[in-house]
Amino acid sequence: MSVTIRDLAKHVGLSMSAVSKALNGYSDVSESTRKAVIKAARELNYTPNVHARALKSKRSYNLGVLFSDDSQSGLTHPFFSVVLESFKKEAEERGYDITFIGHRIGGGRITYLDHCRSRELDGVCIANTDFSVEEVQMLIQSELPLVTIDNPFPGRGCVLADNRGGMTQLMEYVIGCGHRKIGYIHGPASAVTDLRISAFLETAARHGLQVPPEYLGQCAYNEPQSCYEAAERMIRLEDRPTCILVSDDYSSSGALQAARAASLRVPEDLSVAGYDGIGWLSNFFPRLTTVDQDADRIGQTAACLLIDQIEGAPPETRTIPARLIPGGTVRKVTKNNE
C-alpha cells in the first residue's frame, strides 16, 4: 500500500498542511523542517500525487533548461555539466522535474518558446547559449519566469560568476610570482569574455605592464586543438610570454601540448594557467593553476532563484565569488631567470 501525505505527516509529527508546504518549498517553513520532511519522505518511499498537486496549484512542477553550445557538448561539457547537475539536484529537492528544451518534438521543428508552452513549463533556466539568437530573445521576452547564467537582462533573474574578480585574482597572483610578460588566450566574443579581457588589461596597466597585441590570442571555449594553435603562435614569438593564461581549464591542455611540442618545460620554461576549477584536472601533475568558479553553487543558486520566482518572489541577480587555486604550472620568476 502506498504511503500517503497523512502517513508522512504522522511520521514526522507535523500537520498535513505543514508537510505539504515543506515539500513544495514554501517560505514560511524553516529549512530544517523542510529537510526533515524530505528525508522522511525518502525513507518512507513517499511519492506525491503529481497530477493532484498540479491541479491544485495550477503549476506543472516542471522546469525547462535551455543549454546549447557550438560544440554540441551537452551534458559532457566539463564546466556546465556540473552546473546543470547541481541545478537538477536542487530542483528535485524542492519537488520539481527538469525538461531540456530543444527545437524538435517528434519529426517537426518547434521554437524554444513553443516547446516550453507545449510542456506547460513553470519556468526556464538558460545557460551556455548564444543569447543574441532571435528564438532565445523570444524566450527572454516571454511571460515565463526565467533565470540566465552569466548574461543579465533587465527584469530577469540571473546568476553571475565573478569573472572580473576571478581574472583579477589570477593576474595578481601571476604578477606576484614575478611575471612581467603575460599572454592571454581568451574565448570568442561574449559578455564573459569581455569582462575577463578588461580585467586582464586593467590589472596589467595597474602594474605598469605592457601587453603587445600579439600577447592576446583567441580560441574556442573547451577546444584544446584551437588553444594549441593559438598557444603555438604565441610561443613562436621572438619575445614570447613567460606565462600564458587560457580561457578555460579544458582548453589549457592544448597550451600544455604546444609547450611540449616546442620542447618547453612547464613551469620551468613556460608557465600556464587555466580558468574554471574543473575538479578532475586536479589529478594531473603538475596541478593546473586555475580559478574556481564554484559550479555547484552557480547551479544551486539558479534553481533557487527560478523556483522562488515561480512561487511569487521578484527576479533577482546574484554574483558567485571566484577563488584562485594555485597549482604547479606557474613558477616564480626572478630577474636572473626571466
Side-chain angles (χ1 to χ4, degrees):
M1 186 173 178
S2 61
V3 177
T4 67
I5 193 170
R6 185 184 298 276
D7 299 326
L8 180 57
K10 184 178 180 181
H11 181 80
V12 295
L14 295 171
S15 67
M16 286 193 293
S17 174
V19 168
S20 176
K21 287 183 177 182
L23 290 172
N24 292 309
Y26 279 71
S27 59
D28 58 347
V29 175
S30 71
E31 184 65 14
S32 60
T33 298
R34 186 179 74 85
K35 287 182 177 179
V37 170
I38 290 172
K39 182 174 182 289
R42 287 174 175 166
E43 291 171 350
L44 297 177
N45 257 343
Y46 169 73
T47 304
N49 186 327
V50 176
H51 295 296
R53 184 174 65 156
L55 285 171
K56 184 177 180 180
S57 64
K58 296 183 180 179
R59 295 206 296 264
S60 67
Y61 290 90
N62 198 350
L63 306 179
V65 173
L66 175 56
F67 176 94
S68 63
D69 63 336
D70 293 338
S71 62
Q72 299 295 307
S73 57
L75 293 178
T76 65
H77 193 288
F79 177 73
F80 278 100
S81 61
V82 181
V83 173
L84 295 176
E85 177 60 30
S86 180
F87 180 93
K88 176 176 176 289
K89 181 180 178 182
E90 181 64 24
E92 289 175 345
E93 285 276 349
R94 295 183 62 171
Y96 286 77
D97 291 324
I98 303 296
T99 292
F100 282 91
I101 302 166
H103 274 131
R104 297 189 179 279
I105 298 180
R109 196 178 191 283
I110 191 170
T111 68
Y112 293 141
L113 181 57
D114 284 341
H115 190 176
C116 292
R117 287 172 174 165
S118 70
R119 298 300 186 193
E120 298 183 334
L121 301 180
D122 292 330
V124 181
C125 175
I126 306 180
N128 197 41
T129 192
D130 185 349
F131 286 86
S132 66
V133 171
E134 183 179 0
E135 281 191 55
V136 178
Q137 284 295 315
M138 285 171 59
L139 196 53
I140 291 168
Q141 294 164 18
S142 73
E143 76 288 353
L144 284 170
L146 184 140
V147 166
T148 60
I149 294 178
D150 267 342
N151 279 265
F153 293 91
R156 290 311 212 165
C158 183
V159 181
L160 298 169
D162 188 7
N163 288 286
R164 181 180 293 278
M167 179 55 74
T168 300
Q169 286 184 59
L170 183 57
M171 276 292 283
E172 291 288 356
Y173 174 75
V174 168
I175 294 168
C177 286
H179 291 274
R180 308 291 292 175
K181 297 185 290 185
I182 306 167
Y184 181 29
I185 301 174
H186 56 77
S190 69
V192 168
T193 298
D194 291 346
L195 283 170
R196 293 185 190 174
I197 291 175
S198 63
F200 172 83
L201 295 174
E202 287 167 9
T203 309
R206 192 163 56 248
H207 287 269
L209 304 185
Q210 297 295 318
V211 181
E214 57 269 23
Y215 277 21
L216 287 173
Q218 180 174 315
C219 72
Y221 280 116
N222 295 294
E223 289 193 16
Q225 181 58 37
S226 176
C227 181
Y228 177 96
E229 294 165 3
E232 187 179 41
R233 287 190 291 271
M234 220 172 273
I235 287 170
R236 286 178 177 173
L237 294 172
E238 184 175 345
D239 186 23
R240 62 174 173 79
T242 62
C243 180
I244 297 177
L245 311 184
V246 181
S247 60
D248 60 274
D249 288 352
Y250 189 55
S251 294
S252 68
S253 63
L256 296 173
Q257 290 171 1
R260 283 194 293 271
S263 299
L264 297 177
R265 298 166 300 164
V266 175
E268 293 85 354
D269 303 317
L270 177 69
S271 292
V272 175
Y275 203 103
D276 278 346
I278 296 174
W280 55 266
L281 283 173
S282 63
N283 297 322
F284 288 81
F285 183 83
R287 180 174 178 170
L288 184 68
T289 296
T290 186
V291 174
D292 179 14
Q293 298 197 82
D294 201 345
D296 277 321
R297 190 174 168 193
I298 289 173
Q300 179 188 36
T301 303
C304 287
L305 292 185
L306 182 56
I307 293 170
D308 287 349
Q309 275 188 68
I310 292 166
E311 296 177 354
E316 185 179 342
T317 296
R318 289 188 195 168
T319 300
I320 306 303
R323 178 176 62 94
L324 174 75
I325 302 178
T329 57
V330 174
R331 72 177 176 114
K332 291 187 178 295
V333 175
T334 65
K335 288 186 177 179
N336 292 331
N337 64 16
E338 187 173 356

